[in-house]
Amino acid sequence: MFRQPLLWQAARTAARPSSVAVPSLRPHIQRRTLLSKRDFRQTGTRAVENLNLRNIAQSSADYHRNKQIFLSCGIVAGLVSFIYVSYRIVLEIKKNPIKADADPSNPLSDPGAANRKIILHDENGKEIVPTGHSVVPSFPRTISLPSFTGPLDATEPVQPGTITTAAAPETEYTLVGLGTRTVTFIGISVYVVGFYIATADIAALQSALVKKVNPIATTLVPGEREELRNELLDPAHGAKLWDELLSHNIPARTAFRVIPVRDTDFHHLRDGFVNAIKARGPELSGKGVDDESFGEAMKQFRAVFNRGKVPKAKELILARDDKGHLSIAFDGGKKAGGRQLIGVVPDERVSRALWLNYLGGKQVASEPARKSIVEGIMEFVERPVGTVASMVVPLAR
């Protein structure tokens, strides 16, 4: 009774066309061979089975690595571009120095104004120039030296009382430049040295230097000053120029003020001076240094330094007069009688060779002192001949 309807329903279902595929109940399993690549896109029938933590971690690491490489390349490219542009700017400045904006009436507009000495005032109102060294913090802008007179034979012991007198006239000297003498590759400071010129003799030096650059000028414009500066700083031209000036006693009266920054002795200072004279002697113009008279002069020079200790911060003066005579004075303090002349060497070649050791040549005793002296000379030649350059920069307190 009930079987016939069931059979009829089954036959009807079998005769009906199938339009939808019946999914298989068995899961699809991906087959891999030895050379096939693994496909992580379909690893299972569920969505969570498509995630691969190792692949995600590797992708993140690759992203951050590429980002770091890109940023590093940008930094390197920026530095290289900056260095290259700076290099090109320096080359252009050297080829075409900027001179149009310089004001001849304003000393601070000169290219070397930043290197010039700064003049201050101490508690007594005297003008001083900072040295930058803690042991010898400053040098006086002007000093007064007597016209040293005494026996020219320095081989005999010199008595201070027979050299100078209280009534001896004094001459004012103006500081041109200063610097620190250093030795060895680590730059051990030995002494601070300053170059002074008699104030009355500055005009002669002004005239000689100005006429050398421009024979019809009374002062130098910025371009001409730069030309003179380069010549004075050049090892060969600078030494030749100073040798020519000193051989004609221009400037007539000059002095070097030497202040040790550590305890030393006269023998140590003498050895340094003698080596400098020997090195510069062959460069001197004139009759040379091979005759007996120069050897005798060197004996006199050595004899002056046959003394004992030189405490730090004590003054040693090397003065050259209008005849080229070298006078050496030492100030051992009030207990020692103050500044006293200890010897005179009459041969002008000795003082000229010693002066060249500081003023010109390939190797000078103190390169900072040489540059400072050159900038001091620039202060002179920018003013009309016959005037003394002065620049006082007040100290803010």
Side-chain angles (χ1 to χ4, degrees):
M1 179 175 178
F2 296 99
R3 174 179 260 181
Q4 186 175 1
L6 292 176
L7 293 175
W8 176 82
Q9 186 177 1
R12 186 180 178 182
T13 303
R16 183 183 303 171
S18 178
S19 59
V20 179
V22 179
S24 175
L25 299 179
R26 298 179 60 186
H28 173 73
I29 301 176
Q30 185 178 5
R31 304 289 182 177
R32 291 185 61 198
T33 62
L34 181 63
L35 300 179
S36 64
K37 294 183 179 180
R38 185 177 181 181
D39 187 4
F40 296 99
R41 292 175 297 178
Q42 293 182 359
T43 58
T45 57
R46 294 180 299 175
V48 70
E49 295 180 357
N50 293 328
L51 297 178
N52 188 290
L53 297 180
R54 182 177 299 177
N55 187 41
I56 295 175
Q58 183 65 34
S59 300
S60 177
D62 293 342
Y63 168 78
H64 289 290
R65 184 182 70 254
N66 294 337
K67 180 180 178 181
Q68 186 176 7
I69 293 174
F70 178 78
L71 294 177
S72 301
C73 292
I75 294 174
V76 172
L79 290 176
V80 171
S81 301
F82 177 78
I83 294 173
Y84 176 74
V85 172
S86 302
Y87 174 72
R88 296 295 300 178
I89 291 175
V90 171
L91 290 183
E92 291 299 325
I93 292 177
K94 289 183 178 180
K95 291 180 181 179
N96 303 306
I98 302 175
K99 303 175 183 178
D101 295 336
D103 183 5
S105 62
N106 183 13
L108 295 178
S109 66
D110 191 80
N115 298 324
R116 294 185 174 182
K117 58 181 178 292
I118 298 177
I119 303 173
L120 309 176
H121 292 83
D122 61 8
E123 60 276 6
N124 298 323
K126 295 182 179 180
E127 294 181 334
I128 58 175
V129 178
T131 64
H133 201 283
S134 59
V135 178
V136 186
S138 62
F139 262 39
R141 183 172 180 265
T142 60
I143 59 175
S144 296
L145 298 178
S147 300
F148 293 117
T149 59
L152 298 182
D153 186 7
T155 59
E156 298 295 332
V158 178
Q159 299 298 327
T162 63
I163 302 301
T164 60
T165 62
E170 292 189 344
T171 303
E172 181 185 72
Y173 287 72
T174 299
L175 179 64
V176 182
L178 54 82
T180 303
R181 158 74 169 167
T182 58
V183 295
T184 73
F185 66 95
I186 60 176
I188 298 177
S189 300
V190 180
Y191 56 77
V192 180
V193 59
F195 181 56
Y196 288 82
I197 297 179
T199 306
D201 298 335
I202 293 178
L205 179 63
Q206 283 181 287
S207 179
L209 294 176
V210 169
K211 299 301 180 184
K212 180 174 180 60
V213 178
N214 190 340
I216 62 174
T218 58
T219 185
L220 298 182
V221 297
E224 295 171 335
R225 291 200 299 268
E226 188 65 21
E227 178 183 349
L228 178 61
R229 178 187 285 109
N230 293 335
E231 185 171 359
L232 291 172
L233 292 176
D234 184 82
H237 293 87
K240 183 179 179 180
L241 177 58
W242 278 113
D243 180 59
E244 180 181 352
L245 291 172
L246 294 173
S247 62
H248 292 85
N249 291 322
I250 301 175
R253 293 164 294 179
T254 55
F256 280 100
R257 185 172 184 259
V258 178
I259 308 293
V261 299
R262 60 183 68 248
D263 294 336
T264 182
D265 53 57
F266 280 96
H267 292 165
H268 181 75
L269 295 175
R270 177 200 62 192
D271 293 340
F273 294 148
V274 170
N275 291 335
I277 294 173
K278 288 182 178 180
R280 296 306 179 91
E283 301 176 5
L284 300 180
S285 59
K287 60 181 180 180
V289 295
D290 297 330
D291 55 345
E292 294 183 1
S293 60
F294 185 78
E296 185 64 26
M298 290 301 298
K299 290 182 180 179
Q300 296 177 359
F301 182 82
R302 291 188 180 93
V304 173
F305 290 86
N306 286 333
R307 297 173 178 272
K309 301 292 184 179
V310 179
K312 64 180 180 181
K314 298 301 180 181
E315 177 191 77
L316 179 68
I317 295 290
L318 306 172
R320 192 176 194 268
D321 63 13
D322 55 355
K323 296 181 180 179
H325 297 168
L326 174 62
S327 300
I328 304 168
F330 178 67
D331 188 349
K334 294 182 179 180
K335 295 182 179 180
R339 183 186 294 153
Q340 298 290 336
L341 183 67
I342 60 176
V344 178
V345 181
D347 195 322
E348 69 88 19
R349 292 173 294 179
V350 175
S351 61
R352 183 152 48 109
L354 188 57
W355 262 228
L356 289 179
N357 183 52
Y358 293 97
L359 299 177
K362 185 176 181 180
Q363 290 184 341
V364 291
S366 173
E367 185 63 29
R370 193 248 294 269
K371 291 181 178 179
S372 177
I373 292 171
V374 170
E375 295 306 324
I377 297 296
M378 294 300 104
E379 295 182 31
F380 294 159
V381 298
E382 72 185 6
R383 306 285 183 172
V385 174
T387 62
V388 179
S390 61
M391 183 182 67
V392 179
V393 179
L395 177 63
R397 296 184 179 180

